[in-house]
Amino acid sequence: MAFERVGVVGLGTMGAGIAEVFARAGLRVIGVEADAEALARGRGHLERSTGKAVDKGKLAPGQRDEILGRITLTTSREDLRDVDLVVEAIPEILDYKISLFKDLDRICEPGTVLATNTSSLSVTAIAAATGRPGRVVGMHFFNPAPVMKLVEVVGTVVTEPGVVADVTALAGRLGKTAVAVGDRAGFVVNRLLLPYLNHAAALMELGVAGRDDIDAAMRLGVGLPMGPFALLDLIGLDTAYEVMGVLFDETRDRRHAPSPLLRELVTAGLLGRKSGRGFYGASGGAPHTKQAKSRLGTFKVVGYEDEGDGLAERLRAAGFKSSEEPDVVLRLADRPVIEHAVRLPDPARMVGVHLVGDQVAELASTALTSEHAATAARDLMKIVGLTPVPCKDRAGFVVDALLFPYLNDAVRMYDSGYASIEDIDAAMRLGCGYPAGPFEMLESFGLARVRDGLRALYTEYREPAFAPAPLLDQLVTADVSEFPRR
Ligand code: CAA
């Protein structure tokens, strides 16, 4: 089926972005909003987004006029009677969506495909509320829709053969890559992404590290385009909260219970970029981010010969002296740092170090670490050009604690048969701008390292979902370094 005229219902950040994507690909678009005020906001989104492209020289003014000229804005759903496809992008509330789809079913021709951009709600439940369940699918775009290259196309058990293929082909025409999946809460991306974001909020609440430090660790250490809190602000804290709630209802996995911090911020109206304030702009700094002045002192590096020698060399090259009576003992960490610290005559001097990539040094303070040693460690790292990420001495510190459970979830998803390795990797690269998909990351870190890190996390937090996925465990036991592509 060829789609030439499409409707988009809901012109918030996502809906307006989706309308722009269709219009840029040459389709005619009818954008529908509930009232004149919301319509004006939708028009504003479209004008700003295309205006920026003109300012950057990415679009000629004439092209912008053509794109905007293909979009008709209206407050009447009845104007959708002749379209080939409708994409819904209204708030994530099932009752609202069901009521809208019933209405669209009445208004549109029987052949029209009705698609929901829901992030997590049951496409099956939405489809079943219409008289055309076989022609209802999920068409899930990623924020910012004009930029992110992924569309998840969600078919249900009653989707007619051919509809998923037609919508997948349409995604290709829009310049996107489609990943076709079945109807499970969160699909591929949100099922993997949102628990990680929720976990970041939990680590901050536990005081393991502060907002800016966690964001810096994931951005500079792992190479993600945004840290978790900046991304939560982009997605919208209310959306993230709703998605977590849906995930929890389906899985009953306590990691999926929305973080109380999210609830608090949402209740306060701090929704992220769309309300002007979320994690950023809110007083979210953590105790560890405070900066004390220190005299740059002497150091000693212990543990992990190669890495330790490399760090000691960098410090010496920057003019610092290693000493047997140092201000700070930098322990390249494996086991809990405190287990090493208590063997020192003065445990207050020990700080755990974990180098992440070539830019980040996680610095773990134990319950006994002095403020002087912690500050000296931070200053030393800055001087040798590393970004210090101060954190508590907890398994996985920040990066491994956030990354490894996400990788484990990806292994479980694949092993459940929900999606292929290629689709999961593509979804995270194209939907979230990750430099590599989870399986690519697993294979480059080494499966054994991730398995062992998960074991340490499990031992520390006793969280069942942190136990290594059986498939990962078995591959390590069999000394296999790559996942079998089935
Ligand atoms: N609309 C249109 N274009 C936009 C845009 C927007 N809202 N925001 C950024 N862009 C464009 C910029 O114009 C720029 O284009 P050019 O390269 O052509 O100049 C490009 O995107 C890069 O933008 P910037 O240089 O301003 O900034 P950046 O390099 O830091 O990239 C980003 C910004 C694309 C948002 C990047 O940080 C990123 O990929 N972040 C991850 C976003 C992500 O994970 N999205 C998925 C969230 S999950 C979701 O959406 C699903 C759900 O259901 C909750």
Side-chain angles (χ1 to χ4, degrees):
M1 176 176 179
F3 299 102
E4 293 306 331
R5 292 157 305 166
V6 300
V8 177
V9 182
L11 297 172
T13 312
M14 285 309 292
I18 294 167
E20 181 183 330
V21 168
F22 282 126
R24 277 177 178 258
L27 284 83
R28 302 208 72 82
V29 185
I30 298 180
V32 184
E33 257 298 359
D35 54 41
E37 204 180 314
L39 203 65
R41 274 198 302 273
R43 181 177 290 113
H45 284 308
L46 287 162
E47 287 175 353
R48 263 192 309 281
S49 176
T50 51
K52 269 194 208 154
V54 172
D55 293 345
K56 286 187 169 180
K58 305 273 174 188
L59 211 57
Q63 289 172 309
R64 179 194 187 216
D65 293 344
E66 277 174 29
I67 291 168
L68 294 179
R70 288 190 201 111
I71 305 174
T72 308
L73 298 178
T74 174
T75 53
S76 172
R77 289 180 187 170
E78 305 294 327
D79 293 344
L80 296 173
R81 77 185 75 79
D82 293 328
V83 298
D84 308 313
L85 167 76
V86 181
V87 179
E88 159 280 313
I90 66 172
E92 283 290 280
I93 298 169
L94 188 60
D95 288 350
Y96 291 5
K97 301 217 187 229
I98 285 183
S99 146
L100 169 65
F101 273 74
K102 284 186 171 160
D103 217 20
L104 293 173
D105 192 31
R106 174 186 62 76
I107 294 165
C108 300
E109 298 287 336
T112 302
V113 172
L114 305 180
T116 170
N117 179 54
T118 182
S119 304
S120 59
L121 295 172
S122 164
V123 180
T124 312
I126 296 170
T130 72
R132 67 181 81 195
R135 301 192 74 70
V136 176
V137 290
M139 196 173 185
H140 185 219
F141 290 81
F142 292 81
N143 189 2
V147 182
M148 307 317 283
K149 291 288 175 220
L150 179 72
V151 176
E152 287 174 321
V153 178
V154 184
T156 72
V157 286
V158 289
T159 308
E160 283 171 22
V163 172
V164 167
D166 288 345
V167 173
T168 298
L170 172 64
R173 197 176 146 198
L174 303 175
K176 309 283 185 194
T177 295
V179 165
V181 284
D183 186 19
R184 280 200 205 168
F187 318 129
V188 173
V189 171
N190 283 340
R191 185 69 165 244
L192 297 178
L193 178 73
L194 269 291
Y196 145 71
L197 299 178
N198 204 43
H199 191 187
L203 286 190
M204 182 162 92
E205 279 218 278
L206 287 171
V208 172
R211 175 197 65 185
D212 296 358
D213 294 320
I214 295 174
D215 269 1
M218 299 312 285
R219 208 163 39 78
L220 302 175
V222 187
L224 306 187
M226 292 174 138
F229 298 108
L231 184 54
L232 278 162
D233 277 357
L234 175 76
I235 290 172
L237 273 51
D238 50 343
T239 303
Y241 184 79
E242 296 292 341
V243 175
M244 288 314 305
V246 174
L247 286 186
F248 180 77
D249 286 346
E250 186 169 301
T251 64
R252 301 286 153 179
D253 178 341
R254 67 182 177 196
R255 290 178 314 142
H256 295 166
S259 141
L261 184 57
L262 275 181
R263 184 204 29 82
E264 190 179 357
L265 294 178
V266 170
T267 309
L270 306 180
L271 307 181
R273 286 197 190 179
K274 63 180 142 186
S275 71
R277 229 179 122 184
F279 278 99
Y280 284 89
S283 55
H288 290 285
T289 54
K290 67 175 183 256
Q291 301 282 323
K293 281 258 170 282
S294 77
R295 171 184 63 83
L296 290 177
T298 51
F299 72 91
K300 180 175 176 182
V301 177
V302 289
Y304 285 117
E305 271 179 19
D306 287 352
E307 232 181 320
D309 288 350
L311 181 61
E313 195 43 53
R314 283 174 84 164
L315 289 166
R316 274 192 290 270
F320 295 101
K321 288 203 175 65
S322 66
S323 153
E324 286 308 308
E325 282 295 316
D327 291 288
V328 58
V329 179
L330 298 165
R331 168 82 217 184
L332 272 294
D334 51 357
R335 286 176 294 160
V337 182
I338 190 71
E339 289 182 18
H340 300 289
V342 289
R343 295 200 201 112
L344 290 181
D346 182 4
R349 294 186 193 181
M350 182 167 274
V351 172
V353 183
H354 179 220
L355 299 174
V356 188
D358 52 9
Q359 291 190 60
V360 167
E362 292 178 308
L363 297 175
S365 289
T366 73
L368 302 179
T369 305
S370 70
E371 186 61 36
H372 174 71
T375 309
R378 277 203 293 269
D379 290 346
L380 286 169
M381 294 305 135
K382 281 190 202 156
I383 288 189
V384 295
L386 292 166
T387 299
V389 171
C391 59
K392 282 190 184 169
D393 179 26
R394 296 288 180 272
F397 299 161
V398 173
V399 170
D400 291 357
L402 290 177
L403 204 55
F404 289 1
Y406 150 76
L407 300 177
N408 206 31
D409 284 348
V411 177
R412 286 184 198 279
M413 177 181 279
Y414 161 65
D415 204 28
S416 75
Y418 181 61
S420 68
I421 288 178
E422 291 75 10
D423 280 353
I424 296 172
D425 273 350
M428 295 313 295
R429 267 193 277 101
L430 302 174
C432 301
Y434 278 23
F439 293 91
E440 293 160 336
M441 284 189 186
L442 270 156
E443 289 168 357
S444 79
F445 296 159
L447 305 191
R449 198 188 128 212
V450 178
R451 192 272 310 264
D452 294 347
L454 283 162
R455 283 185 173 169
L457 283 166
Y458 177 69
T459 305
E460 176 106 316
Y461 291 100
R462 307 294 157 119
E463 170 56 63
F466 291 167
L471 175 61
L472 176 61
D473 210 22
Q474 285 172 17
L475 291 174
V476 176
T477 305
D479 202 18
V480 173
S481 57
E482 287 183 1
F483 277 81
R485 268 60 176 177
R486 287 175 190 153

